[in-house]
Amino acid sequence: HVQLVESGGGSVQAGGSLRLSCAASGRTYGRNCMAWFRQAPGKEREGVAALSSFGQTDYSDSVKGRFTISKDTAKKAFDLEMNSLKPEDSATYYCAAKPDCWMILGLMRGYNYNYWGQGTQVTVS
């Protein structure tokens, strides 16, 4: 099993930046796919950014050029750097992971991930 814990959420003014981190514990060795999703009130969950076990990244069109997903192997964590934040980025952000992952397609599909964090709130005003 893998446990994921997000941190780094908060409130920020439009145009500001936040960095979310997802710390992983448990069965973290091997090839893992990692992703960030978000869900705003009254809206469906959407994929924001993903990182395949091959190092391929994928971003939603709404965040491309503003958000960056990265992996910190030493810390067993993966981060989401969010810049130029907009009010429409406000949501609860969830990290997700899939061990033994060889995906190159479907990285932004939530049903492909086995483990999820509890979520962290991001509010942009």
Side-chain angles (χ1 to χ4, degrees), residues 62-78:
S62 62
V63 307
K64 202 169 292 183
R66 300 188 296 123
F67 290 13
T68 303
I69 187 171
S70 61
K71 180 174 65 173
D72 189 331
T73 303
K75 295 183 178 179
K76 293 185 179 179
F78 58 102

Side-chain angles (χ1 to χ4, degrees), residues 73-116:
T73 303
K75 295 183 178 179
K76 293 185 179 179
F78 58 102
D79 297 342
L80 184 68
E81 180 73 29
M82 305 185 294
N83 298 314
S84 302
L85 282 161
K86 305 174 182 180
E88 51 264 42
D89 293 319
S90 297
T92 300
Y93 283 71
Y94 300 89
C95 61
K98 177 178 174 60
D100 298 324
C101 180
W102 299 83
M103 281 195 304
I104 55 173
L105 298 175
L107 290 168
M108 302 281 270
R109 301 293 186 183
Y111 55 71
N112 284 324
Y113 291 86
N114 308 90
Y115 301 100
W116 294 81

